[in-house]
């Protein structure tokens, strides 16, 4: 019995050492708020972004769909919205593609290579200074596109859900 227990402990320890350590992104508790604090309309199925922290200043935009380029002339986010968000909120409805993936680069094939950060439904990130994309770049004033995705589409270290 003792040999079995010792072997099991050694096996678990070996597995734990084999799993690479990641820079898991623990959300700073003061920077995540419940949806009602940052939503002008409650759970309305939209993603929101603001110029300043605490969901204040200019509302850069809100969107029920995807926007592959916050700096172009189409979509709900346009022109100077690109690389200007300091706070964001996912006011999406729960179920299906209910997570917003914010990207460092514009949409298309290269968006994932620039890194991403995901916010689950009901999550408001009130100060992006405390967050980084999967590429390691700070997320503040660096969002260039977004899309609605399934929770499984986001890496563990990029997913903020509470």
């Amino acid at each position: 019995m003792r040999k079995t227990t010792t072997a099991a402990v050694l096996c678990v320890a070996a597995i734990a050492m084999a799993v690479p350590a990641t820079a898991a992104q623990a959300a700073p508790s003061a920077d995540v708020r419940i949806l009602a604090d940052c939503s002008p309309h409650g759970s309305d199925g939209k993603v929101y972004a603001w110029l300043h922290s605490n969901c204040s200043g200019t509302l850069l935009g809100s969107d029920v769909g995807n926007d592959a380029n916050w700096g172009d002339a189409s979509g709900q986010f346009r022109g100077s919205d690109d690389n200007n968000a300091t706070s964001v909120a996912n006011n999406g409805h729960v179920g299906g593609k209910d997570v917003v993936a914010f990207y460092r680069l514009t949409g298309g094939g290269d968006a994932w290579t620039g890194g991403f950060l995901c916010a689950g439904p009901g999550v408001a990130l009130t100060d992006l200074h405390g967050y980084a994309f999967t590429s390691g770049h700070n997320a503040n004033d660096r969002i260039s596109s977004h899309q609605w995705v399934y929770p499984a589409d986001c890496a563990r270290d990029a997913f903020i859900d509470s």
Side-chain angles (χ1 to χ4, degrees):
M1 180 70 136
R2 183 174 177 111
K3 285 183 182 181
T4 304
T5 304
T6 302
V9 168
L10 289 174
C11 182
V12 169
I15 291 171
M17 289 180 7
V19 175
T22 62
Q25 180 107 13
S29 60
D31 292 344
V32 177
R33 291 191 180 178
I34 58 170
L35 185 61
D37 287 345
C38 289
S39 173
H41 305 290
S43 182
D44 60 3
K46 294 182 179 182
V47 57
Y48 287 83
W50 290 267
L51 182 62
H52 299 304
S53 62
N54 298 314
C55 309
S56 66
T58 302
L59 176 63
L60 300 177
S62 63
D63 199 351
V64 295
N66 301 327
D67 194 330
N69 188 342
W70 283 20
D72 65 8
S74 64
Q76 298 300 310
F77 293 91
R78 299 177 179 200
S80 64
D81 298 342
D82 184 40
N83 294 323
N84 267 323
T86 298
S87 54
V88 294
N90 175 351
N91 295 3
H93 303 295
V94 175
K97 291 185 177 183
D98 60 2
V99 173
V100 179
F102 297 99
Y103 298 99
R104 169 70 186 97
L105 300 176
T106 56
D110 65 345
W112 288 90
T113 61
F116 60 95
L117 173 66
C118 297
V123 170
L125 305 177
T126 61
D127 190 345
L128 291 171
H129 284 95
Y131 297 91
F133 294 107
T134 54
S135 62
H137 291 99
N138 186 281
N140 185 60
D141 292 340
R142 295 288 187 265
I143 296 173
S144 292
S145 59
H146 79 272
Q147 72 175 332
W148 293 90
V149 300
Y150 295 105
D153 295 334
C154 293
R156 178 183 58 183
D157 60 340
F159 186 62
I160 312 298
D161 64 353
S162 62

